[in-house]
Amino acid sequence: MITRHRAIILLAILGSALFALIQGVIIPGNMAKEEQYRQAQQNPITHDLDSILKYKSKYMGDASNLINLIQHLPLSQIQKSFQLDSKQLTIKVNYRETIDVIKESDLQRALLYNSLAAFALVDNLEAIEFHFYDASYLATRADSKEVFGSDLSLMLTKDQWKAMQEQLKDDQFVSKSALTMLQK
């Protein structure tokens, strides 16, 4: 009988210790990793290509697919609305924010990255208009090809994508590319 009580007490202590370990260490650690990953997804240099590959499509007419793609790219934390123009093969992203809250080079880097990702993943998308309260930018597939190469869908390999992200680390490259690719 005493052995049985000791075993029950020992199991209760062990269960409590495991519960405390899970609640105090493992779950907060996992939550911290998830938050770190979410933060990395807001930076074009650390954004994960695998997180957006599932949105690859031949046609921009799949509105939910295209909107989900934009929602998984940098600047996704800013509230926005969308308009699709299927005749012009254009998406308009209307951000509910001014550009002065974002450092100019970071904004240019994010818009370049978002444009390239959209053009590489959606085959017939021809233009993206980014509207903020105080500024607008237009990115076209033709200008993206001029900056990043002729066949954008070939960039959808890890090596090519990492090489492009390396280019985006260079502020001079970003400024020069923004002049070519992002028309105000």
Side-chain angles (χ1 to χ4, degrees):
M1 196 71 161
I2 293 176
T3 308
R4 179 185 242 177
H5 289 285
R6 286 184 184 164
I8 291 172
I9 292 172
L10 182 63
L11 286 174
I13 292 171
L14 182 62
S16 296
L18 286 174
F19 180 77
L21 176 70
I22 290 169
Q23 291 296 318
V25 177
I26 295 174
I27 290 175
N30 287 344
M31 290 173 64
K33 287 178 187 175
E34 287 176 21
E35 181 58 30
Q36 185 178 16
Y37 181 78
R38 272 194 294 276
Q39 291 297 324
Q41 297 314 293
Q42 293 303 311
N43 185 340
I45 296 167
T46 58
H47 190 267
D48 181 18
L49 172 65
D50 290 335
S51 71
I52 58 173
L53 282 177
K54 61 187 167 193
Y55 301 111
K56 181 151 179 54
S57 175
K58 290 184 181 279
Y59 308 105
M60 67 159 284
D62 183 356
S64 64
N65 185 67
L66 187 55
I67 289 169
N68 278 318
L69 169 61
I70 302 296
Q71 292 286 61
H72 285 86
L73 292 172
L75 302 180
S76 65
Q77 78 279 11
I78 300 174
Q79 281 192 334
K80 63 188 104 11
S81 63
F82 303 92
Q83 293 176 302
L84 299 179
D85 184 345
S86 57
K87 291 181 181 174
Q88 299 293 320
L89 300 174
T90 301
I91 184 171
K92 296 176 185 176
V93 183
N94 301 304
Y95 291 97
R96 295 182 182 134
E97 190 66 68
T98 59
I99 62 171
D100 62 348
V101 297
I102 306 168
K103 185 175 151 189
E104 184 177 4
S105 62
D106 291 341
L107 176 67
Q108 290 174 338
R109 188 173 286 112
L111 295 179
L112 288 169
Y113 182 88
N114 291 359
S115 301
L116 178 63
F119 293 136
L121 289 165
V122 182
D123 294 344
N124 75 337
L125 181 64
E126 289 299 321
I128 304 174
E129 296 178 25
F130 300 100
H131 296 281
F132 294 85
Y133 286 143
D134 54 349
S136 293
Y137 300 88
L138 172 68
T140 65
R141 179 176 292 277
D143 291 339
S144 295
K145 286 180 178 180
E146 186 177 325
V147 172
F148 291 104
S150 61
D151 192 352
L152 300 175
S153 64
L154 293 178
M155 295 187 74
L156 295 176
T157 64
K158 283 202 182 274
D159 292 338
Q160 291 289 334
W161 204 256
K162 284 292 179 195
M164 177 273 299
Q165 287 176 312
E166 285 296 318
Q167 287 179 310
L168 290 178
K169 288 181 180 179
D170 181 1
D171 285 340
Q172 287 181 329
F173 173 81
V174 169
S175 295
K176 180 182 167 202
S177 298
L179 288 173
T180 302
M181 202 169 131
L182 298 173
Q183 305 161 17
K184 283 190 175 186

